[in-house]
């Protein structure tokens, strides 16, 4: 299937590691030109080099903290300076901390909103006028299966990602006539540093090793294992393509069958 992604210009946020990195690599393999960002410059540069070496894609790497709007502006203007346009935006960020309601201060709540919701608003605000002008665009937000079935002990994620889902649905309707689609991908348990960190926290509480906790996190998934980042990236690449032109306003889980709900 020709995804018609050759020379498309993509910003993939929070993409030096994990899901963001896998999506950036997946888009580069299809011929897209990239802007990637993350906070740690050395890790980001290393990822940019690896993607260039494997795919020969153009990769612009801009160190940025997506919870800072000035940094988001820096990423978008850097991409526009280099490529003069933006076709695809993948909104991604680190995950908020683990805990229940009484564990967090109001400041913690503010930070979670800034990291996962406000970053999506700020990136989309900068990029949508460009996409509207092009009469084409793809926005893909990385959320969580928590929007389908809230996860105990992840109250910040459960709450803030629901906001992203509402935003995406509204944007999908407002911009559909400009051939701009807006969709969410909901990871279940995918093997990245984030899931290893969650497994370590669970292991500490249950008095076992992180490896044992990871194994048990895989065993109650119908597919019987934790997912691979590239399994999620495949959906992102498809949603970014012309082939996904009639799919908008959706939240699609990539979870090996974990979520029990019908919708
Ligand atoms: N993996 C899963 O199973 C899973 C499940 C549900 C939801 N999610 C969500 O999906 C998103 C990605 O998860 P992941 O598993 O890929 O995480 P990860 O492996 O920890 O990778 C996070 C990436 O984002 C960057 N990052 C983190 N905070 C950032 C910030 N403030 N500004 C810019 N870049 C930032 C990191 O680099 P720096 O640290 O250098 O900035 C790294 O490149 C998270 O929101 C996570 O909660 C993941």
């Amino acid at each position: 299937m020709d995804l018609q992604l050759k020379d498309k210009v993509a910003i993939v946020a929070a993409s030096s590691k994990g899901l963001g990195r896998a999506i950036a690599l997946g888009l580069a393999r299809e011929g897209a030109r990239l802007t990637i960002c993350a906070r740690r410059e050395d890790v980001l540069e290393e990822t940019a080099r690896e993607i260039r070496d494997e795919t020969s894609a153009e990769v612009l790497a801009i160190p940025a903290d997506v919870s800072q709007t000035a940094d988001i502006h820096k990423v978008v203007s850097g991409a526009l300076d280099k490529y003069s346009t933006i076709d695809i935006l993948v909104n991604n960020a680190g995950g908020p901390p683990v805990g229940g309601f009484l564990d967090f201060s109001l400041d913690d709540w503010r930070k979670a909103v800034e990291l996962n919701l406000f970053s999506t608003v700020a990136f989309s605000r900068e990029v949508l006028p460009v996409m509207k002008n092009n009469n084409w665009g793809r926005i893909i937000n990385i959320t969580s299966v928590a929007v389908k079935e809230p996860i105990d002990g992840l109250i910040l994620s459960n709450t803030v990602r629901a906001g992203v889902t509402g935003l995406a649905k509204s944007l999908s309707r407002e911009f559909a006539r400009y051939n701009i689609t807006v969709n969410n991908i909901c990871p279940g348990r995918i093997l990245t540093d984030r899931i290893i960190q969650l497994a370590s926290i669970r292991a500490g509480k249950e008095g076992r090793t992180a490896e044992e906790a990871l194994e048990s996190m895989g065993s109650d998934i119908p597919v019987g294992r934790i997912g691979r980042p590239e399994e999620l990236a495949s959906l992102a690449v498809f949603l970014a393509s012309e082939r996904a032109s009639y799919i908008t306003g959706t939240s699609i889980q990539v979870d090996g069958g974990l979520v029990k709900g019908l919708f």
Side-chain angles (χ1 to χ4, degrees):
M1 188 192 290
D2 179 8
L3 294 173
Q4 298 174 40
L5 281 166
K6 184 147 177 39
D7 294 331
K8 290 280 188 206
V9 173
I11 294 178
V12 185
S15 44
S16 63
K17 303 267 284 173
L19 305 180
R21 182 190 188 283
I23 294 168
L25 181 59
L27 289 169
R29 282 178 178 151
E30 295 298 325
R33 296 175 286 164
L34 299 180
T35 300
I36 62 172
C37 73
R39 292 164 303 176
R40 287 165 298 167
E41 190 169 1
D42 54 337
V43 184
L44 181 70
E45 282 300 339
E46 173 72 9
T47 296
R49 198 178 50 72
E50 286 167 1
I51 296 176
R52 280 186 210 111
D53 286 352
E54 189 195 311
T55 66
S56 306
E58 281 182 74
V59 184
L60 174 65
I62 303 180
D65 180 343
V66 299
S67 63
Q68 305 296 319
T69 47
D71 282 14
I72 288 174
H73 180 69
K74 190 174 69 172
V75 173
V76 176
S77 37
L80 285 172
D81 283 349
K82 182 168 170 66
Y83 302 114
S84 306
T85 195
I86 297 161
D87 302 303
I88 298 157
L89 168 65
V90 179
N91 283 308
N92 184 39
V98 175
F101 188 65
L102 296 178
D103 295 324
F104 297 116
S105 65
L106 286 178
D107 198 40
D108 294 326
W109 279 93
R110 247 177 234 116
K111 282 189 178 135
V113 169
E114 276 167 8
L115 179 66
N116 294 106
L117 174 58
F118 206 65
S119 61
T120 307
V121 173
F123 262 119
S124 304
R125 236 180 137 262
E126 296 238 9
V127 166
L128 272 165
V130 180
M131 291 179 171
K132 187 176 168 188
N133 195 42
N134 291 345
N135 202 35
W136 199 93
R138 297 284 180 264
I139 296 182
I140 298 160
N141 305 313
I142 306 304
T143 60
S144 165
V145 288
V147 304
K148 305 270 179 169
E149 193 179 352
I151 300 168
D152 292 345
L154 277 175
I155 194 160
L156 296 176
S157 177
N158 294 341
T159 308
V160 175
R161 296 188 197 283
V164 174
T165 308
L167 169 72
K169 185 59 119 179
S170 300
L171 291 179
S172 72
R173 295 180 58 79
E174 194 172 333
F175 290 91
R177 74 189 64 178
Y178 305 106
N179 300 306
I180 297 169
T181 67
V182 185
N183 292 288
N184 305 310
I185 298 182
C186 312
R189 296 173 189 153
I190 313 285
L191 191 60
T192 64
D193 291 353
R194 167 78 173 171
I195 212 76
I196 292 168
Q197 182 207 8
L198 295 180
S200 304
I201 293 169
R202 187 191 265 210
K205 282 187 191 145
E206 295 170 355
R208 50 182 172 168
T209 65
E211 290 70 32
E212 286 167 341
L214 258 184
E215 205 176 306
S216 112
M217 284 167 82
S219 64
D220 62 356
I221 297 171
V223 162
R225 62 172 174 83
I226 286 181
R228 296 186 293 273
E230 59 272 23
E231 291 178 305
L232 182 138
S234 297
L235 175 62
V237 170
F238 177 70
L239 288 174
S241 76
E242 179 54 32
R243 298 294 181 139
S245 51
Y246 205 62
I247 302 174
T248 195
T250 68
S251 282
I252 305 176
Q253 58 275 32
V254 178
D255 69 348
L258 180 65
V259 169
K260 289 192 184 126
L262 294 179
F263 304 106

